[in-house]
Amino acid sequence: EFILLGLSDTRELQVLFFTFFFLAYAMVLLGNLLIIVTVRTDPKLSSPMYFLLCNLSFLDICCTSVTSPRMLVDLLSQRKAIAFEDCIAQLFFLHFVGASEMFLLTVMAYDRYAAICKPLHYTAIMSRQVCWVLVSACWAGGFLHSIVQTLLTIQLPFCGPNTIDNYFCDVPPVIRLACTDIYVTEWLMASNSGLISLVCFLVLVTSYTFILVTIRVRFTEGHWKALSTCASHVMVVTLFFVPCIFIYLRPFSAFPSDKHICVIYTVFSPVMNPLIYTLRNNEVKAPMQKLWKRCR
């Protein structure tokens, strides 16, 4: 088994963290479930953008559910132990869902590029069949990435220290405990996770560059509305990708644990998604209000 050190060993801080992260987890569940129900029940929200948003909300729920429940339990526990099998399972699902979300955010950027830069061909480019293929490819890519990370981890021998300086099992802190030279393994993992994060981020930046160039030429109200949507997307992308690139695109053993940075993409990013996509989007807020009135 492994021992998770968590975010703090001070009892008062643990209670404070529990309250904060419990509220954050509740917001993630309620906010993203509300988006899913609203998109699924309102026929006006049938465009590819909202189909992808619905999938993003589901991935956010899965991503935060991999780490938050365990973290909340450990914050109230004296001994934060996790079995080796449970640790590997958490690592697998975290990278599975996390990589799938990276690919999906890239697809959402491509969707905005097609809608703004090629509006006449948008319905053909982003048909419902194409959307399903792209979403399926995101899940398949996430699965393949996670399988590679997991296989590289479980083949390592663990026979010495068992203390993980984090609040969940992730590749960098786990492989540091291996009783062997991990130089080759950590570079293979960094080239996998790190390059995926970096390449997806560069594709996103390229998409937004084309969008900004297009909007600079066409000053119409519709394009400025689309730009507002892209600005919200950029906020989510920044919260999610920058910490991942910082953590995974480097040799793990040469740097200390970054558990406080991990909070950004495991907790804050899933919390921000429903706020950004609802409070800044009247097309979603209006159906939500109707849904709320029907439920009262």
Side-chain angles (χ1 to χ4, degrees):
E1 65 179 13
F2 293 120
I3 305 297
L4 299 170
L5 296 183
L7 292 171
S8 173
D9 56 0
T10 306
R11 188 61 183 170
E12 291 75 12
L13 281 177
Q14 289 179 350
V15 174
L16 181 63
F17 285 149
F18 176 85
T19 304
F20 174 78
F21 289 120
F22 178 79
L23 293 175
Y25 185 50
M27 288 177 61
V28 171
L29 294 180
L30 295 176
N32 285 292
L33 282 174
L34 184 58
I35 289 178
I36 293 173
V37 173
T38 302
V39 172
R40 297 291 295 175
T41 56
D42 195 309
K44 294 181 181 179
L45 302 178
S46 59
S47 66
M49 181 179 74
Y50 294 111
F51 172 77
L52 297 174
L53 175 60
C54 190
N55 281 273
L56 178 65
S57 295
F58 178 72
L59 282 171
D60 274 336
I61 292 174
C62 295
C63 185
T64 193
S65 295
V66 172
T67 58
S68 291
R70 177 84 202 191
M71 176 178 60
L72 293 172
V73 172
D74 286 343
L75 284 170
L76 300 179
S77 305
Q78 293 294 330
R79 190 170 184 270
K80 305 171 178 59
I82 182 171
F84 178 79
E85 294 80 7
D86 295 338
C87 182
I88 295 300
Q90 189 179 56
L91 185 152
F92 169 80
F93 284 108
L94 178 69
H95 280 266
F96 177 27
V97 179
S100 299
E101 184 163 345
M102 284 186 182
F103 296 136
L104 183 63
L105 287 168
T106 308
V107 170
M108 292 178 72
Y110 174 73
D111 171 71
R112 292 298 83 206
Y113 161 77
I116 296 172
C117 300
K118 299 182 181 295
L120 298 179
H121 303 283
Y122 177 67
T123 54
I125 295 174
M126 294 298 294
S127 64
R128 180 51 65 101
Q129 183 179 2
V130 171
C131 288
W132 275 109
V133 170
L134 291 174
V135 169
S136 300
C138 291
W139 282 94
F143 179 77
L144 290 175
H145 160 76
S146 186
I147 281 291
V148 171
Q149 297 292 89
T150 304
L151 291 177
L152 287 173
T153 302
I154 61 176
Q155 55 87 28
L156 295 172
F158 295 94
C159 54
N162 68 335
T163 302
I164 297 177
D165 188 16
N166 211 324
Y167 58 92
F168 65 96
C169 287
D170 195 9
V171 167
V174 169
I175 69 170
R176 287 193 189 105
L177 304 179
C179 305
T180 186
D181 183 16
I182 61 170
Y183 179 80
V184 175
T185 302
E186 67 180 346
W187 275 109
L188 287 174
M189 289 180 165
S191 63
N192 188 346
S193 296
L195 283 180
I196 286 176
S197 305
L198 182 62
V199 170
C200 289
F201 185 70
L202 291 177
V203 172
L204 286 160
V205 170
T206 303
S207 298
Y208 291 129
T209 301
F210 280 113
I211 289 172
L212 289 173
V213 171
T214 301
I215 292 176
R216 186 179 177 183
V217 177
R218 309 171 190 173
F219 291 97
T220 64
E221 182 179 350
H223 283 89
W224 281 115
K225 183 179 178 181
L227 180 62
S228 177
T229 303
C230 291
S232 302
H233 194 184
V234 169
M235 293 175 65
V236 176
V237 164
T238 302
L239 282 174
F240 191 74
F241 277 91
V242 173
C244 291
I245 294 173
F246 177 77
I247 289 174
Y248 295 112
L249 195 61
R250 61 183 188 176
F252 304 143
S253 58
F255 294 87
S257 175
D258 296 300
K259 55 187 176 183
H260 297 96
I261 296 178
C262 295
V263 173
I264 298 176
Y265 67 86
T266 59
V267 178
F268 282 109
S269 180
V271 168
M272 292 300 294
N273 277 352
L275 295 176
I276 289 173
Y277 283 108
T278 56
L279 296 180
R280 292 177 53 85
N281 193 331
N282 292 326
E283 291 182 358
V284 178
K285 282 195 296 185
M288 280 186 175
Q289 292 171 355
K290 292 180 182 179
L291 182 65
W292 175 255
K293 291 178 180 178
R294 289 204 305 265
C295 295
R296 290 177 62 181

